Amino acid sequence: MTYHKILVAIDRSPESDLVINQVIDLAEKEKAELMLFHAIQVEALAEISPMVGTGMGLSPSLGREIPEIQQQRLEAQLGKTKEILQGYAEMAMARNIPTLCHHSVGDAGALSCELAKSWGANLIVVGRRGRKGMTELFLGSVSNYITHNAPCSVLIVQGALPVT
């Protein structure tokens, strides 16, 4: 099977460099187009302070400030995301690989599968951190979700396994 459109789910972890290096090699061999994608997790925007909601010395105006703080966090996340995706895109384009970038706010697994379907990807490449047991249960696994819900083939790039 040949791949013509490869969606790459980037999560800004140390494994992302490993994923992008492998996918660039694959895309070059397959003469494929890349779509680099990152989902900004809603939970990251919602984290204001451990004091929120405790009533410990909080001003009444905090409720009005939370949306502003969240907007500032979103803008910071968007800026960093665009910078990272552009850096990876430049690596691919330096090897004459047509490359697009896309980002969105929400669940990484679901958004990756939706984008793969709407863009017509025939391969999704995603990294795996090697979470197991309770860690995977509480933090979830994007690669696991994509494996079970993708509209196309999935390649999982194994990151460094945690020391047990």
Side-chain angles (χ1 to χ4, degrees):
M1 174 175 228
T2 58
Y3 302 107
H4 303 288
K5 288 185 154 189
I6 303 173
L7 175 70
V8 188
I10 302 291
D11 69 356
R12 293 174 45 183
S13 70
E15 288 83 7
S16 293
D17 288 344
L18 178 64
V19 170
I20 203 70
N21 288 327
Q22 288 190 25
V23 82
I24 286 174
D25 289 343
L26 178 62
E28 187 173 51
K29 289 175 190 168
E30 297 285 328
K31 297 181 179 15
E33 181 179 356
L34 294 180
M35 169 77 74
L36 307 179
F37 173 67
H38 176 72
I40 298 170
Q41 300 291 322
V42 175
E43 296 81 23
L45 302 175
E47 295 173 3
I48 302 300
S49 163
M51 298 294 284
V52 171
T54 64
M56 298 179 64
L58 299 178
S59 72
S61 66
L62 181 62
R64 292 186 300 273
E65 295 170 7
I66 289 175
E68 185 176 316
I69 293 169
Q70 288 174 327
Q71 182 64 33
Q72 291 169 356
R73 284 187 180 209
L74 175 59
E75 289 171 10
Q77 290 272 348
L78 286 172
K80 186 69 174 164
T81 295
K82 288 177 184 178
E83 180 182 316
I84 289 168
L85 291 177
Q86 188 59 41
Y88 287 143
E90 289 171 7
M91 290 171 57
M93 290 186 291
R95 291 178 51 186
N96 297 315
I97 299 167
T99 305
L100 303 168
C101 297
H102 185 75
H103 59 273
S104 192
V105 176
D107 180 72
L111 289 171
S112 295
C113 290
E114 289 171 17
L115 182 58
K117 185 176 182 179
S118 67
W119 184 58
N122 54 358
L123 178 67
I124 300 174
V125 178
V126 63
R128 180 177 183 275
R129 295 182 190 177
R131 291 181 178 148
K132 293 180 181 173
M134 295 302 281
T135 304
E136 182 178 4
L137 178 66
F138 287 111
L139 297 178
S141 170
V142 173
S143 60
N144 186 47
Y145 180 91
I146 290 173
T147 299
H148 289 94
N149 295 281
C152 58
S153 296
V154 177
L155 172 62
I156 299 173
V157 178
Q158 177 65 55
L161 292 173
V163 178
T164 54

